[in-house]
Amino acid sequence: MDPLLCGLAANPGLPVALLDRLIALADPDIDDELARRDDLGRAQAITLAARDEAGGVLLAYEGLLTAADVDPTAQPRVALALLDERVGDPAWARLLAASPVVAHRERLAACPGLPPDVVETLAADPDVGVVVELALWGEPDVATRLARHPHAEVRRAVAANEATPPEVLAALVGGEALPPARHCLVCDREEPPFAHSPDCARPDCDLRPGASCDGSHESTALDILRAALENPATPADAAAGFADHPSMLLRWALAGRPRLPPQAYERLAVDPTPGARADLAANPAIGDTLIRALAGDSSPDVRRALAHNPRVPLDVLAELTATTRIGATVLPRIASATAAEAEELARSPHAAVRALLARRRDLPAGIRDALADDPDAKVVAAVAAHPGLSEARLHAMVDRHSVQVLTGTAANPDATPAVLERVARHRPPVRKALSEIARHPRATAPALLPCLADERFRPLAARHPALPPEVVVELLSDPAAPVAEAAAANPSLPLAVMEELTRRATDGRAS
């Protein structure tokens, strides 16, 4: 792979004439980059797609190809992409349903809007993987029919399909209304009873870890139940009875569901599995009593999940900040806080609570500026990237809190070149701040040059259009291929250099 040509192929400043010359090189690595450009013409897209099927798939999904541009026999994967987008020729579906390549039939089975006769053909396919894909993505009538399929793996896919009718999902959960399955992936391959070792070393084995069958297809039966319980289309009354099931996986599958009876949520709140309690804590369907009980849970994961519940009361959220590391994110309950609540949060005596509010990026100017002037560095660091902060205020924040606020300041979309240059000059360098500068649209050459000194951010900075052209040209010879490639992709690369790189490549292929 030539990193310079790959970078040049991605360069947004590449003239049309040079783009055509790169397309003519017919290099697989370059073709992959060219196919990702957003300025390709239809003729260029057709040329690339005819040469490289993977690129053709990408171009089909980008809407640059039509059915008239594709031969389904020569490029079946591109034809499948167009069928998946509902712009392919229906006749292709009939052709591909008879393909000897199982992967093509599987991909076809996942496409929407297939002709009824093609659906019939796929439903009767001798390879169970094809039928599984049809069951997973099929319309309600197809899912209803395949719920009675003799293979348990097909039923597992039906249970996961959100288009499956609720009454069919209830039947899969209850099991009484359906004939028993006769096959599963385990007994297809091994004589029951058989349990697949989680540490199986056979390179040709594709059974799921822990899969087993004693004649009742027990591991797949459990997978069917789990898929149905995780499916939001499954009726709540059919699912609720599993809240005290012996299987931890089935109980866990219930924890995030809405509309369960209160008793089911109460049982899950004392589940021994922290993961199940954490999913329950994040569930907006639980009531105030359970929320307050879970706030005292011994697991930090449960308390952290509770903080992300959009219905958590603000007083509980304040309590959680004292015991739990929540992370640098805007919590749903903070995002939905009313103007009056935001005023109250901004006046909280707890810095951690003010910091939660400071992570919002739509605060009124008065609250935003008050938080920027906060005496606590954590609050200021949280608000530093908020749009609308003046240059003077950003400088004042750095004056007061220095390294603690540099990263947020560098990430501020309104940071001026002077602010970014000041942050870049800080010694010792703050790596996260340099990362923000290297991708900041307002960064200048003086701010970017220190970023080039850090090998982790050198490729990012090498691609920035504000770098002086002479620096970009120098970076073309960098010993690190990612840096050289990024420089070649820089739109500030002089046109004469682009022409020379293309000429050398063309001459090299000709010789």
Side-chain angles (χ1 to χ4, degrees):
M1 182 185 77
D2 186 329
L4 296 183
L5 289 182
C6 286
L8 196 60
N11 194 315
L14 192 70
V16 173
L18 296 185
L19 175 58
D20 285 335
R21 287 169 66 182
L22 286 181
I23 290 174
L25 290 176
D27 182 290
D29 294 319
I30 301 173
D31 283 356
D32 183 63
E33 291 293 341
L34 292 171
R36 299 175 189 278
R37 295 183 64 93
D38 57 10
D39 60 350
L40 289 176
R42 185 161 176 265
Q44 294 167 326
I46 291 172
T47 299
L48 288 170
R51 203 159 60 212
D52 176 58
E53 193 170 18
V57 170
L58 176 64
L59 293 165
Y61 279 116
E62 290 294 324
L64 293 174
L65 300 176
T66 68
D69 304 325
V70 177
D71 177 352
T73 303
Q75 296 179 297
R77 290 168 56 200
V78 182
L80 285 164
L82 290 177
L83 286 170
D84 192 36
E85 291 289 285
R86 294 180 180 264
V87 292
D89 187 334
W92 295 351
R94 297 182 179 92
L95 175 71
L96 292 164
S99 170
V101 181
V102 173
H104 293 166
R105 304 199 306 274
E106 288 181 346
R107 187 70 190 85
L108 177 65
C111 291
L114 296 173
D117 59 309
V118 173
V119 173
E120 288 296 318
T121 300
L122 295 170
D125 197 281
D127 191 288
V128 70
V130 177
V131 190
V132 164
E133 288 299 310
L134 186 66
L136 185 59
W137 301 106
E139 298 294 325
D141 60 325
V142 177
T144 298
R145 170 184 170 187
L146 293 178
R148 305 178 69 85
H149 197 277
H151 204 289
E153 193 67 16
V154 174
R155 299 188 188 197
R156 185 177 78 92
V158 171
N161 186 343
E162 294 186 17
T164 301
E167 64 273 15
V168 176
L169 290 166
L172 286 167
V173 169
E176 299 88 0
L178 298 173
R182 298 199 298 272
H183 311 283
C184 72
L185 293 179
V186 179
C187 60
D188 282 349
R189 294 162 171 75
E190 306 288 346
E191 186 69 27
F194 179 82
H196 182 232
S197 170
D199 303 317
C200 178
R202 292 185 296 175
D204 60 338
C205 183
D206 59 357
L207 288 175
R208 288 188 287 274
S212 63
C213 180
D214 61 3
S216 66
H217 325 299
E218 66 273 12
S219 67
T220 311
L222 186 69
D223 289 340
I224 292 171
L225 284 173
R226 183 181 181 186
L229 294 177
E230 290 176 343
N231 192 327
T234 300
D237 57 353
F242 290 85
D244 52 7
H245 193 277
S247 169
M248 170 267 290
L249 294 175
L250 298 188
R251 300 193 309 271
W252 198 337
L254 286 181
R257 288 189 62 95
R259 297 184 296 279
L260 291 181
Q263 299 86 345
Y265 292 134
E266 290 167 7
R267 290 198 294 273
L268 291 168
V270 293
D271 195 281
T273 307
R277 301 198 310 276
D279 282 4
L280 179 70
N283 189 340
I286 63 174
D288 187 75
T289 301
L290 273 189
I291 286 177
R292 294 183 181 279
L294 289 167
D297 196 281
S298 61
S299 168
D301 291 337
V302 175
R303 301 194 302 273
R304 189 176 301 111
L306 186 64
H308 288 263
N309 190 313
R311 294 184 57 191
V312 63
L314 291 176
D315 66 304
V316 174
L317 198 50
E319 175 188 335
L320 290 170
T321 62
T323 63
T324 310
R325 295 187 64 179
I326 294 171
T329 185
V330 181
L331 298 175
R333 182 61 183 89
I334 296 295
S336 66
T338 65
E341 289 173 332
E343 291 277 2
E344 182 181 350
L345 289 166
R347 294 193 301 268
S348 172
H350 305 294
V353 173
R354 301 196 302 275
L356 291 181
L357 178 67
R359 294 190 183 101
R360 273 180 57 166
R361 295 294 175 255
D362 60 348
L363 295 171
I367 293 179
R368 176 201 65 206
D369 291 345
L371 292 170
D373 296 338
D374 197 281
D376 192 285
K378 293 190 294 295
V379 178
V380 180
V383 81
H386 197 297
L389 288 171
S390 69
E391 179 179 28
R393 187 161 257 114
L394 290 172
H395 277 299
M397 290 158 54
V398 175
D399 288 340
R400 295 197 321 273
H401 301 292
S402 186
V403 68
Q404 294 172 281
V405 301
L406 292 183
T407 299
T409 302
N412 192 299
D414 296 324
T416 62
V419 169
L420 295 172
E421 289 166 19
R422 177 182 181 180
V423 173
R425 290 194 303 268
H426 189 275
R427 293 294 177 269
V430 177
R431 283 190 150 189
K432 289 184 179 179
L434 292 179
S435 173
E436 296 293 344
I437 293 171
R439 55 171 62 91
H440 200 293
R442 302 180 76 176
T444 57
L448 291 166
L449 292 176
C451 301
L452 291 173
D454 191 302
E455 62 180 17
R456 288 199 298 181
F457 311 125
R458 194 171 171 84
L460 267 178
R463 193 180 287 260
H464 200 291
L467 274 182
E470 61 273 16
V471 175
V472 178
V473 173
E474 183 180 343
L475 291 170
L476 293 175
S477 56
D478 195 279
V483 176
E485 182 174 344
N490 193 318
S492 294
L493 188 68
L495 176 59
V497 179
M498 293 185 189
E499 291 173 339
E500 173 62 18
L501 291 174
T502 309
R503 185 192 63 76
R504 287 202 318 237
T506 305
D507 293 348
R509 299 297 166 89
S511 60

